[in-house]
Amino acid sequence: AQKVTQAQTEISVVEKEDVTLDCVYETRDTTYYLFWYKQPPSGELVFLIRRNSFDEQNEISGRYSWNFQKSTSSFNFTITASQVVDSAVYFCALRDAGGTSYGKLTFGQGTILTVHP
Amino acid sequence: EAQVTQNPRYLITVTGKKLTVTCSQNMNHEYMSWYRQDPGLGLRQIYYSMNVEVTDKGDVPEGYKVSRKEKRNFPLILESPSPNQTSLYFCASSLSRTGGSPLHFGNGTRLTVT
């Protein structure tokens, strides 16, 4: 069975601080995909990034960066110089590559990030 | 604009009154799915569809029905809603069921059953 754990339930930072959201996953599949989604206060789920299990390169997109380490089954998300608009719930998620879980996206419980001005 | 559209955004109803939440995508995606989000329980899959006329149960299907008569539409039907179905519902779609294609979500439907 697949499992995603986001140990940090809530994080509170002051604007311009860097913050890292942790994600640890479990799967028996050798090929899989990891995702991060953002849920702002308005409620929608916004896709941020996809990473496949064969690609351990870190990725940077503006103030966002992702660190994938297969050896520790982790896919952590760092926001550099946080802003108030980053306040949201962030979800890490896992999907198998071959469709054996019939396309289901397994979500972590989410981390509530609050950025104070 | 590529999107998944859910309606209504908010819905308050009474126990036992049948309702339908509509979902439509304009991306020609094969795969569609419904999730519900509840505090403390996270996001759980209700039903999914791998293509037209192909649907199956997710983790929490009790009390729900779906249909996939056309590729773009995947309505969620509550035949006899109960208060424990009060939740935030999301429809999602992806190109296929395999992992490489990300799920794109609608804006959500907040349902309250009294």
Side-chain angles (χ1 to χ4, degrees), chain B residues 55-103:
Chain B
T55 64
D56 211 341
K57 298 175 182 178
D59 295 323
V60 287
E62 294 78 22
Y64 304 95
K65 282 175 58 177
V66 293
S67 68
R68 188 94 181 270
K69 294 187 173 64
E70 305 163 287
K71 199 170 188 178
R72 64 170 52 223
N73 295 324
F74 191 46
L76 180 69
I77 303 155
L78 284 72
E79 295 267 2
S80 183
S82 62
N84 65 12
Q85 293 178 298
T86 292
S87 186
L88 178 58
Y89 291 87
F90 287 100
C91 180
S93 73
S94 66
L95 196 57
S96 73
R97 70 174 187 174
T98 55
S101 48
L103 275 171

Side-chain angles (χ1 to χ4, degrees), chain A residues 25 27-35 50-57 68-71 73-75 94-98, chain B residues 99-100:
Chain A
Y25 62 91
T27 180
R28 292 180 182 170
D29 296 315
T30 54
T31 307
Y32 50 89
Y33 287 82
L34 296 160
F35 302 83
R50 174 196 64 196
R51 170 66 68 212
N52 75 54
S53 54
F54 289 104
D55 184 0
E56 290 195 65
Q57 279 193 332
F68 173 40
Q69 292 198 339
K70 207 167 178 178
S71 60
S73 298
S74 65
F75 186 43
L94 170 68
R95 199 181 197 195
D96 71 88

Side-chain angles (χ1 to χ4, degrees), chain A residues 5-18:
Chain A
T5 302
Q6 295 177 253
Q8 304 148 310
T9 306
E10 289 191 55
I11 300 176
S12 182
V13 298
V14 176
E15 212 170 16
K16 296 183 185 174
E17 282 186 34
D18 298 347

Side-chain angles (χ1 to χ4, degrees), chain A residues 37 39 50 95 102 104-105, chain B residues 31 35 37 59 100-101 103:
Chain A
Y37 284 84
Q39 187 175 39
R50 174 196 64 196
R95 199 181 197 195
Y102 302 103
K104 184 173 76 173
L105 199 57
Chain B
Y31 183 90
Y35 286 79
Q37 183 179 17
D59 295 323
S101 48
L103 275 171

Side-chain angles (χ1 to χ4, degrees), chain A residues 10 13 26 36 47 51-52 64 69 82 89 91 95 104 113:
Chain A
E10 289 191 55
V13 298
E26 295 174 30
W36 276 94
F47 165 67
R51 170 66 68 212
N52 75 54
Y64 294 172
Q69 292 198 339
S82 59
V89 184
F91 291 96
R95 199 181 197 195
K104 184 173 76 173
L113 174 64

